């Protein structure tokens, strides 16, 4: 009859568990590196779209019906059909909440309080204003998630993201945040963070950061990254948008 010493049994069990945890961590790392990057709310989205950028927006009336209309009002239709670029697409909810009503804290309430005409139709706002602020979401070249550097807001010296200029010459920091999994840093879910920098003379101050909810959708002429709506406003800083509309409204 063989009798096992309890201490020996415990050491064997601990060694076994460490090996299991190590193998599991390696598998997580491998799958994190190998998996596709076009995810939306935890589920895979369709990466390729057989059409141009505008056709993609028009094919998704939810959430892009209003955005597709704005592209046309802004005179950017040919750009969205023919140029190659990356579009960080705000949803229709951004427009709805930014304009609001006279009873909510939005543009129309501000106009109403100033005894100015409120916005009833999208065309009530000057096309050049729509053009300027839509271009704030547009960037040259087709960049997928894998093309952006890592950003870690807790370790910005090591992982700072990178500065990019939008079509309207606004400055942004764009980077990929690597999540943690099972207590191991940087092997979890990855998502793009885009941060508007209001004053380039103070490049580390007052960032307006928005997370991408689905990435790497690829029409024929570029890439679409859909922005997560979390109460944000169109144009990243709504006061800038409000002021331009108010100054061009009777």
């Amino acid at each position: 009859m063989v009798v096992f010493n309890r201490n020996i049994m415990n050491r064997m069990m601990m060694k076994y568990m460490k090996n299991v945890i190590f193998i599991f961590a390696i598998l997580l790392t491998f799958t994190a590196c190998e998996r596709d990057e076009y995810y939306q709310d935890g589920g895979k989205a369709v990466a390729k779209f057989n059409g141009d950028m505008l056709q993609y927006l028009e094919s998704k009336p939810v959430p892009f019906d209003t955005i597709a209309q704005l592209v046309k009002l802004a005179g950017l239709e040919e750009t969205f059909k023919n140029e190659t670029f990356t579009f960080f697409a705000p949803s229709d909810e951004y427009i709805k909440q930014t304009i609001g009503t006279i009873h909510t804290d939005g543009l129309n309430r501000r106009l109403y309080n100033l005894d100015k005409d409120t916005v009833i139709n999208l065309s009530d706002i000057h096309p050049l204003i729509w053009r300027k602020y839509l271009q704030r979401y547009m960037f040259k070249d087709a960049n997928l998630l894998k093309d952006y550097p890592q950003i870690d807001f807790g370790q910005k010296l090591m992982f700072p993201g990178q500065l990019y200029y939008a079509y309207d010459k606004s400055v942004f920091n764009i980077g990929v945040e690597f999540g943690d999994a099972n207590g191991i840093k940087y092997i979890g879910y990855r998502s793009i963070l885009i941060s508007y920098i209001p004053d380039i003379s103070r490049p580390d101050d007052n960032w307006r950061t928005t997370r991408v909810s689905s990435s790497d959708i690829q029409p024929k002429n570029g890439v679409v990254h859909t922005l997560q709506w979390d109460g944000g406003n169109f144009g990243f800083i709504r006061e800038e948008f409000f002021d331009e509309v108010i100054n061009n409204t009777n």
Side-chain angles (χ1 to χ4, degrees):
M1 179 177 180
V2 180
V3 179
F4 287 97
N5 181 281
R6 183 180 297 275
N7 289 333
I8 294 175
M9 287 289 290
N10 287 341
R11 286 198 296 271
M12 291 175 63
M13 182 61 69
M14 288 295 294
K15 184 176 181 181
Y16 172 77
M17 290 302 296
K18 287 180 180 178
N19 288 336
V20 169
I21 292 171
F22 177 76
I23 293 170
F24 182 67
I26 293 296
L27 289 173
L28 274 176
T29 303
F30 177 77
T31 55
C33 293
E34 291 296 317
R35 70 185 180 191
D36 294 317
E37 301 303 339
Y38 41 96
Y39 284 79
Q40 181 173 10
D41 297 331
K44 187 187 287 187
V46 178
K48 299 286 187 178
F49 179 77
N50 188 28
D52 59 46
M53 190 87 70
L54 182 56
Q55 288 173 328
Y56 173 73
L57 297 176
E58 291 175 330
S59 75
K60 303 290 182 183
V62 178
F64 297 131
D65 178 66
T66 299
I67 301 301
Q69 293 180 54
L70 293 183
V71 168
K72 297 173 184 177
L73 284 172
L76 290 169
E77 194 168 353
E78 290 303 311
T79 302
F80 273 74
K81 287 182 176 181
N82 299 312
E83 287 191 24
T84 298
F85 67 99
T86 300
F87 185 43
F88 284 84
S91 68
D92 293 351
E93 192 66 27
Y94 278 82
I95 308 302
K96 176 182 175 182
Q97 295 297 328
T98 300
I99 293 176
T101 70
I102 63 173
H103 304 294
T104 60
D105 186 23
L107 174 63
N108 271 339
R109 181 175 179 179
R110 194 73 57 88
L111 290 168
Y112 178 80
N113 290 340
L114 293 170
D115 198 28
K116 289 178 172 284
D117 294 337
T118 56
V119 176
I120 298 174
N121 301 303
L122 296 174
S123 58
D124 293 338
I125 293 177
H126 198 284
L128 291 181
I129 296 176
W130 286 129
R131 185 183 184 91
K132 173 182 176 178
Y133 286 94
L134 270 177
Q135 287 183 327
R136 192 167 280 187
Y137 296 89
M138 300 163 60
F139 297 80
K140 294 289 186 182
D141 303 321
N143 290 320
L144 301 172
L145 180 148
K146 67 179 180 62
D147 298 317
Y148 292 110
Q150 184 176 353
I151 188 167
D152 183 339
F153 280 88
Q155 299 285 342
K156 282 175 67 175
L157 288 177
M158 186 175 296
F159 301 112
Q162 186 172 321
L163 296 182
Y164 296 85
Y165 284 90
Y167 264 56
D168 77 326
K169 306 304 181 184
S170 295
V171 183
F172 288 80
N173 181 288
I174 304 176
V176 177
E177 182 180 67
F178 287 61
D180 301 340
N182 298 96
I184 303 173
K185 288 185 71 63
Y186 305 143
I187 70 167
Y189 181 79
R190 286 167 283 175
S191 60
I192 303 174
L193 298 178
I194 177 170
S195 302
Y196 173 61
I197 302 174
D199 184 354
I200 191 56
S201 68
R202 297 185 298 163
D204 296 319
D205 296 344
N206 301 317
W207 288 14
R208 302 297 196 273
T209 300
T210 302
R211 186 179 299 275
V212 166
S213 64
S214 66
S215 62
D216 290 8
I217 308 303
Q218 299 166 55
K220 289 182 176 180
N221 63 316
V223 178
V224 177
H225 304 297
T226 303
L227 296 180
Q228 172 181 306
W229 189 78
D230 55 2
N233 287 271
F234 184 67
F236 291 91
I237 297 183
R238 70 175 190 169
E239 295 301 327
E240 292 182 8
F241 180 74
F242 285 5
D243 288 346
E244 292 217 32
V245 175
I246 290 168
N247 291 334
N248 287 275
T249 303
N250 295 324

